[in-house]
Amino acid sequence: MDVQRGGRSTPVAVPPSATPVTIVHEAVHLYGDPAYNTRVGHWANEGTTEFFTRRVLSKQKNPDVENGASMFERDSYEEEYTAVKCLVKEANEELLADAYFLGKIEPLRKEVGEKKFDDWAKAMTDKDYPAAYAVFDCKPPEKKPEG
């Protein structure tokens, strides 16, 4: 699938079996500023993309459409998403949006504290989610029963 952006055609890696919610997630990636990914690493970038994907999808639920509410539910990147929610709790969505979409990272970093932000970003880069949650005194996501 290709998306037109800035007069260019940009390919979006979406497998043929992808659900609509996966397509939304991959499309959100297109609008992320590369500076954010460079600064916080792949896993924080995935969590932030998931954060904004769920924000978009939460506005799409339509109970008048068959499976309208459940078709937009998503639980991918749960640990990464939770770590980003911890960051947002310490700052706010607007600062996160400016960092993710515009590459304006320093206002977010200053709001939460430079050391805390750097510790969180390092923990996310290392996939050390308990350490990322601990930076902002957050609880890990509840494990969903398998089955």
Side-chain angles (χ1 to χ4, degrees):
M1 175 170 106
D2 289 351
V3 173
Q4 295 296 318
R5 178 178 171 198
R8 298 181 323 197
S9 181
T10 305
V12 180
V14 178
S17 61
T19 62
V21 295
T22 298
I23 293 168
V24 171
H25 176 93
E26 295 306 325
V28 170
H29 273 297
L30 291 173
Y31 295 96
D33 191 286
Y36 183 79
N37 186 37
T38 298
R39 181 66 185 84
V40 300
H42 176 77
W43 299 112
N45 189 60
E46 286 296 347
T48 307
T49 303
E50 187 63 22
F51 180 86
F52 288 113
T53 297
R54 292 183 191 192
R55 291 284 291 141
V56 168
L57 295 175
S58 72
K59 307 296 183 194
Q60 306 307 311
K61 294 182 180 182
N62 183 347
D64 295 332
V65 174
E66 184 178 349
N67 296 323
S70 64
M71 76 182 296
F72 292 111
E73 291 175 2
R74 187 164 161 88
D75 61 4
S76 300
Y77 297 109
E78 197 62 39
E79 292 175 306
E80 297 86 347
Y81 169 74
T82 299
V84 171
K85 283 187 356 183
C86 295
L87 174 65
V88 169
K89 185 183 86 175
E90 196 79 8
N92 61 58
E93 283 185 40
E94 184 176 346
L95 287 172
L96 180 64
D98 286 350
Y100 180 77
F101 294 110
L102 303 175
K104 297 180 179 178
I105 300 160
E106 285 307 307
L108 174 62
R109 191 169 170 260
K110 287 186 185 337
E111 178 69 21
V112 301
E114 293 172 359
K115 181 174 179 353
K116 280 185 170 185
F117 183 88
D118 294 346
D119 290 349
W120 177 84
K122 176 155 182 3
M124 293 299 289
T125 298
D126 294 344
K127 288 186 81 169
D128 185 354
Y129 303 120
Y133 308 142
V135 169
F136 299 117
D137 296 320
C138 287
K139 294 180 181 173
E142 292 184 24
K143 298 287 184 193
K144 294 184 179 171
E146 292 186 31

